[in-house]
Amino acid sequence: MAQAFIKMLLLITIFSIHKSDGQFDDWCVADEQTPDEDLQRAVVWACENGADCSKIQPNQPCFLPNTIKDHASFAFNSYFQRMKAHGATCYFNAAALVTDLDPMSAIDGSVRSDEGGDGIRYEWRRAGERRPVV
């Protein structure tokens, strides 16, 4: 009986260990229903309080797509991943929510129009990476 209990605990432990491939179990993303002004205030707060927002600056790898919702999701998730061990949440005055679905998988392979002055449509594969659509 004790041996079966130990095996069960071992299985539970194995399946509950944080993913070792460098990915997160949960992501903090902007709520699509939040007005842009509220998102902007929350982004400023996140960037001033622990999020690494350097990658969403112009000419940086995650600047594109250049929308407040995309930048907010990046900043919120950066703050959440860096600070949750210290008790931080993914709230941002109701501007964000936690999801267990990788937000990048939702756009992987999808086409988003980004003319960016060059008239070319791009396909987004990873954060900040874009490829011309042929």
Side-chain angles (χ1 to χ4, degrees), residues 88-101:
T89 64
C90 175
Y91 182 66
F92 299 96
N93 206 22
L97 50 92
V98 173
T99 180
D100 63 352
L101 300 174

Side-chain angles (χ1 to χ4, degrees), residues 51-66:
D52 177 6
C53 296
S54 63
K55 292 184 173 104
I56 55 174
Q57 300 304 311
N59 300 314
Q60 293 302 309
C62 299
F63 179 71
L64 296 173
N66 183 16

Side-chain angles (χ1 to χ4, degrees), residues 2-64:
Q3 193 174 27
F5 179 73
I6 291 172
K7 285 182 182 179
M8 182 63 80
L9 279 177
L10 182 60
L11 284 173
I12 291 170
T13 302
I14 290 171
F15 288 111
S16 66
I17 293 176
H18 193 284
K19 295 180 184 178
S20 62
D21 59 2
Q23 296 185 358
F24 305 119
D25 286 327
D26 293 315
W27 288 264
C28 180
V29 297
D31 185 338
E32 294 288 326
Q33 298 177 1
T34 303
D36 287 354
E37 301 79 33
D38 294 344
L39 288 175
Q40 184 60 46
R41 279 192 295 276
V43 167
V44 169
W45 187 92
C47 293
E48 290 176 349
N49 287 280
D52 177 6
C53 296
S54 63
K55 292 184 173 104
I56 55 174
Q57 300 304 311
N59 300 314
Q60 293 302 309
C62 299
F63 179 71
L64 296 173

